[in-house]
Amino acid sequence: MGQFSKYVQSYHPPLLNRALQVVIPLCFVVKAAVNPTLENILWAASLVVLMLPYGIAPVAHSARMAALDRRPILSVVFGFLVLGAGLYAILVELAGLSRLTSILIAAPVSLAAPISGVLRERRRRPA
């Protein structure tokens, strides 16, 4: 590493945090297997993608996310798919909106969030 590597602290999450990162997505997978509706499948898919890799291997997950940040188009597509699925499921299940209304809200929000993140990161980096 560099001259400042001794000042950088590595983060190793506590065992309970990692256990919850594994158990919660698996509970939603079981729920989706028992009652396979679109919303349950999207809940399970989005939580598995967001939580399970970090619960299993936090160091490797951080490296993979850093590699994804170096590819802005893939980062936007990944963010759109994960955010869109999760936001759609939340709007249908928790807010009680219809499927069409949930799609009309989730699609632009889940597209705007990763694009704005990539643009903000690009503006932050020196040219």
Side-chain angles (χ1 to χ4, degrees):
M1 297 248 200
Q3 63 183 1
F4 300 108
S5 64
K6 64 181 178 180
Y7 300 110
V8 177
Q9 296 178 359
S10 62
Y11 176 68
H12 299 289
L15 187 60
L16 177 64
N17 186 11
R18 288 185 65 185
L20 288 175
Q21 297 275 341
V22 173
V23 170
I24 291 172
L26 292 179
C27 289
F28 277 90
V29 167
V30 169
K31 180 182 176 186
V34 171
N35 186 12
T37 63
L38 177 64
E39 291 79 19
N40 287 342
I41 293 169
L42 290 176
W43 269 109
S46 62
L47 289 177
V48 163
V49 169
L50 286 176
M51 296 175 77
L52 196 60
Y54 185 74
I56 293 172
V59 175
H61 177 67
S62 300
R64 297 291 182 229
M65 296 314 291
L68 186 64
D69 285 341
R70 291 190 295 271
R71 293 173 177 82
I73 293 174
L74 287 178
S75 177
V76 167
V77 170
F78 177 76
F80 172 71
L81 291 175
V82 172
L83 282 171
L87 185 58
Y88 170 79
I90 288 171
L91 289 173
V92 170
E93 291 284 325
L94 299 180
L97 298 176
S98 69
R99 286 184 171 182
L100 179 62
T101 306
S102 298
I103 289 172
L104 292 175
I105 293 171
V109 170
S110 61
L111 186 60
I115 288 175
S116 66
V118 167
L119 292 176
R120 190 176 61 231
E121 182 65 29
R122 191 173 280 178
R123 189 179 320 146
R124 190 178 300 160
R125 278 191 217 145

